[in-house]
Amino acid sequence: MDGYLGSYATLGLVAAAGVLVFVGAFGANKLLRPAAPAQPPGKYVAYESGIDPVGGDWAQAQIRYYVYAYLYVLFAVEAVFLFPWAVVFDLPGFGWATVTEMGVFVAVLALGILYAWRKKILTWT
């Protein structure tokens, strides 16, 4: 499909295929599902892990779980920046400038982890 409207026609065909897949999936679901599904005891209990829920519905979470999750995200983002840097580092024209930039980046992260370690945030109780 060439011309000005060719890309729009391609987009329309892809959208139509997506709608057909969507309608086909829901149609197959309606045809293949059981007419009267079984109702086992406890099916509508909010917590379905095999243990009956006991107590209220509010529980307090420790802040340290969020700190560990935050630190994980922080170092995952660091890894996202380190891999492309390692690829660019070997190219001509890059050298000590890239080493210095990454050194500053890693030093800031190291200072953050050192600060958390000194404040005893990373101790598990």
Side-chain angles (χ1 to χ4, degrees):
M1 296 184 180
D2 294 330
Y4 179 72
L5 297 177
S7 58
Y8 289 110
T10 304
L11 178 66
L13 288 174
V14 170
V19 168
L20 284 175
V21 168
F22 179 79
V23 169
F26 275 91
N29 182 23
K30 188 162 180 72
L31 289 174
L32 298 175
R33 70 178 181 173
Q39 298 296 326
K43 175 67 178 174
Y44 294 112
V45 175
Y47 192 65
E48 295 183 19
S49 72
I51 302 171
D52 292 331
V54 177
D57 58 351
W58 185 83
Q60 184 175 4
Q62 296 286 335
I63 188 66
R64 66 176 162 249
Y65 300 123
Y66 297 107
V67 171
Y68 278 100
Y70 179 72
L71 288 174
Y72 171 76
V73 168
L74 179 74
F75 286 104
V77 169
E78 176 188 5
V80 166
F81 285 117
L82 282 175
F83 288 120
W85 171 81
V87 172
V88 170
F89 174 69
D90 194 30
L91 296 176
F94 298 95
W96 288 106
T98 56
V99 171
T100 305
E101 289 173 0
M102 193 49 64
V104 169
F105 179 71
V106 172
V108 168
L109 288 173
L111 283 174
I113 195 83
L114 181 67
Y115 175 78
W117 185 35
R118 297 276 301 200
K119 289 288 187 177
K120 302 206 185 300
I121 293 174
L122 301 177
T123 56
W124 191 265
T125 56

